[in-house]
Amino acid sequence: DAGITQSPRHKVTETGTPVTLRCHQTENHRYMYWYRQDPGHGLRLIHYSYGVKDTDKGEVSDGYSVSRSKTEDFLLTLESATSSQTSVYFCAISTTPGTYEQYFGPGTRLTVT
Amino acid sequence: GIQVEQSPPDLILQEGANSTLRCNFSDSVNNLQWFHQNPWGQLINLFYIPSGTKQNGRLSATTVATERYSLLYISSSQTTDSGVYFCAVWAGAGKSTFGDGTTLTVKP
């Protein structure tokens, strides 16, 4: 158990509304990540963070923003949700410096209607 | 970016059988991991294995980095082994590629 929680675990929202997902870790790991998983596929990186206020884009960052004001929390925001953002969102942390070895949270299932 | 191919895409076994899952990747990587996604959607870290061989109970993995492939061995399979097995590689913190997975069904 890598001590990662995500909230909410399930959410249904309407097109055009803002949505914020939260990832919380109980240890002070530097690297945190947000991924999305669509049916029948592996995960794709949205954004990642390498420290407080230090973030960078991943492969599928359009339509998403992130913030990290505390080491333990990494927030993912959909500024104006679209149906194409219906997905399962996973947060991950790297626990071993220099290896990028990752452990995943339980996921958040987001449905945009 | 780096391409990752997993084979086979689907595998059906009888309980007690052995299996080998393969992951081919197209370029040098810093990190390679195998994950099991159970039927409830939880992603379980099986191995961190950028090179070499590791074993954990009935599971073992080998990565030959110079030939750009990794193998996951499951011996004496159990119904609880069912799910999707993902191989993922990283060329840096922001450069990850997941394969599309192997769906394993173990029948009692």
Side-chain angles (χ1 to χ4, degrees):
Chain A
D1 183 0
I4 308 169
T5 58
Q6 294 185 229
S7 59
R9 295 292 315 279
H10 302 271
K11 185 170 183 67
V12 180
T13 192
E14 294 184 348
T15 298
T17 60
V19 176
T20 295
L21 308 182
R22 178 179 182 242
C23 177
H24 177 79
Q25 60 161 322
T26 56
E27 302 175 9
N28 293 324
H29 296 297
R30 183 179 169 199
Y31 279 83
M32 299 182 74
Y33 308 79
W34 276 108
Y35 293 85
R36 62 178 286 174
Q37 184 179 28
D38 299 305
H41 295 286
L43 281 67
R44 292 182 293 169
L45 182 66
I46 304 171
H47 282 280
Y48 69 101
S49 170
Y50 46 95
V52 172
K53 294 187 173 24
D54 292 324
T55 65
D56 207 345
K57 296 178 180 181
E59 177 188 357
V60 290
S61 59
D62 287 349
Y64 302 94
S65 61
V66 290
S67 65
R68 192 167 178 199
S69 58
K70 298 186 290 184
T71 300
E72 59 266 34
D73 289 326
F74 191 30
L75 304 180
L76 176 71
T77 297
L78 290 66
E79 301 289 349
S80 177
T82 67
S83 58
S84 65
Q85 293 176 312
T86 292
S87 190
V88 180
Y89 291 85
F90 287 95
C91 174
I93 60 173
S94 289
T95 59
T96 307
T99 69
Y100 310 124
E101 181 178 7
Q102 305 206 358
Y103 291 84
F104 285 84
T108 293
R109 183 173 296 275
L110 176 68
T111 302
V112 183
T113 61
Chain B
I2 298 177
Q3 306 300 311
V4 174
E5 291 185 6
Q6 290 188 243
S7 60
D10 299 282
L11 187 58
I12 300 174
L13 300 174
Q14 287 297 131
E15 201 166 25
N18 303 328
S19 60
T20 301
L21 282 58
R22 186 177 180 100
C23 171
N24 292 333
F25 48 98
S26 61
D27 206 341
S28 300
V29 297
N30 300 115
N31 175 19
L32 187 148
Q33 288 182 252
W34 283 96
F35 297 94
H36 175 214
Q37 188 166 41
N38 64 23
W40 296 271
Q42 183 183 8
L43 277 163
I44 300 163
N45 189 349
L46 297 177
F47 293 102
Y48 165 75
I49 188 163
S51 63
T53 297
K54 291 186 178 180
Q55 180 155 9
N56 184 4
R58 296 181 295 104
L59 274 60
S60 64
T62 295
T63 297
V64 183
T66 53
E67 297 187 22
R68 297 178 184 163
Y69 73 89
S70 183
L71 302 174
L72 177 68
Y73 306 96
I74 304 173
S75 65
S76 303
S77 57
Q78 301 175 359
T79 56
T80 53
D81 293 332
S82 295
V84 183
Y85 289 81
F86 289 104
C87 168
V89 301
W90 283 263
K95 299 177 181 178
S96 65
T97 305
F98 277 70
D100 285 340
T102 292
T103 300
L104 175 64
T105 303
V106 181
K107 296 187 172 182

